[in-house]
Amino acid sequence: MDKVFQSVFYLFLIILLFKLSQFAYRVIRERRYMKELAQSGMPYIDKMDGRQFEFYLQALFQQLGYKIQVTPSSGDFGADLVMKGKEKIVIQAKRYSAKNRVSLSAVQEVYAAKAYYKANQAWVVTNSYFTKQAKELAAACDVTLVDRGDLQKFINEVNPIFKAREIFENITPKPRKCPKCGQDLVVRDGNGTRFFGCSSFPSCRHTEKINKEVSKSRPSL
């Protein structure tokens, strides 16, 4: 009977130690992830609108020695940025919310831009993720997809001079019109959060999150 009890006890001890090691591993992995997340500035990138995100990518790739050509806000033929270095690369930037995935239309557009700008490579860069169809089409068209995980790793490797927080706090988001009264929306600060508020306040109290939509406005350094 003692041997049975002893066997059960050792088995319980082994299971307990295994569970504790699993817990410790998860804690270490979570802490490492949070550290890398903070270093990359992804929380601030998530708050950006499209204009700020494009500005950030410009600064990031310029630090790597690329010359950046910014395409016009209309008639861009599917590219937001054209980078010239050892090779010419066209980029479509997609600043999305975490719930939204980038669809295959982005791949189609940047693939067309690659031909138009006579580029060697075509990339779609996002702070989110891609749909299954987008991945399949990208593989077939030789388009490089840079998703949230890839971008975070890339930023930490580059360690850019211009941090995401600086871009978010100092670059004005794309101007917008109030959908209620038609007046300009201006950037306001409240409780540590930046948001769009109607310029006709207090007669109109409409507000919007800065990152509500993906902007197609073009910044310049």
Side-chain angles (χ1 to χ4, degrees):
M1 190 68 179
D2 290 340
K3 289 184 178 180
V4 173
F5 176 78
Q6 194 175 43
S7 298
V8 172
F9 174 76
Y10 284 134
L11 178 61
F12 172 77
L13 187 61
I14 291 171
I15 293 173
L16 179 62
L17 291 173
F18 178 71
K19 292 294 184 181
L20 287 174
S21 64
Q22 281 187 317
F23 175 75
Y25 173 73
R26 286 197 298 269
V27 170
I28 293 172
R29 186 175 61 177
E30 180 68 17
R31 287 180 178 176
R32 183 185 303 161
Y33 171 77
M34 295 305 294
K35 182 180 179 180
E36 292 175 352
L37 187 70
Q39 288 177 340
S40 68
M42 290 302 292
Y44 288 98
I45 291 176
D46 291 338
K47 296 177 183 179
M48 293 179 182
D49 76 342
R51 179 178 189 270
Q52 293 168 319
F53 185 48
E54 289 178 17
F55 195 104
Y56 178 73
L57 292 180
Q58 280 185 251
L60 182 65
F61 286 107
Q62 279 186 338
Q63 183 171 324
L64 293 175
Y66 286 96
K67 294 182 179 179
I68 311 297
Q69 174 188 342
V70 182
T71 61
S73 57
S74 60
D76 58 17
F77 298 98
D80 296 320
L81 304 173
V82 179
M83 306 193 309
K84 296 179 181 179
K86 293 182 179 179
E87 293 188 327
K88 182 185 285 190
I89 304 171
V90 289
I91 291 181
Q92 185 165 133
K94 292 293 185 182
R95 208 296 308 161
Y96 277 13
S97 67
K99 296 180 180 179
N100 297 327
R101 292 178 179 263
V102 182
S103 68
L104 59 80
S105 62
V107 178
Q108 293 171 330
E109 291 168 5
V110 81
Y111 181 70
K114 179 182 177 183
Y116 179 81
Y117 291 102
K118 296 180 174 59
N120 306 102
Q121 298 183 44
W123 295 8
V124 182
V125 181
T126 184
N127 66 318
S128 184
Y129 297 96
F130 296 92
T131 63
K132 180 182 177 181
Q133 292 81 1
K135 292 178 182 178
E136 292 176 350
L137 183 60
C141 296
D142 194 26
V143 170
T144 299
L145 302 183
V146 180
D147 68 10
R148 184 180 185 84
D150 299 325
L151 180 60
Q152 179 177 311
K153 182 179 179 181
F154 182 62
I155 292 170
N156 285 336
E157 289 176 350
V158 174
N159 190 23
I161 297 172
F162 290 97
K163 303 300 182 183
R165 179 174 181 175
E166 296 176 86
I167 301 295
F168 173 70
E169 292 180 345
N170 295 291
I171 302 302
T172 304
K174 177 187 175 184
R176 300 181 186 175
K177 295 291 183 180
C178 177
K180 290 187 176 181
C181 68
Q183 296 298 313
D184 291 334
L185 292 177
V186 295
V187 178
R188 302 186 188 279
D189 293 286
N191 297 323
T193 302
R194 304 175 81 213
F195 62 93
F196 280 115
C198 186
S199 57
S200 63
F201 179 86
S203 60
C204 178
R205 297 175 178 271
H206 179 76
T207 61
E208 291 181 5
K209 291 182 179 179
I210 282 181
N211 60 355
K212 183 178 179 181
E213 297 175 355
V214 179
S215 167
K216 293 297 289 183
S217 173
R218 297 294 180 270
S220 60
L221 286 174

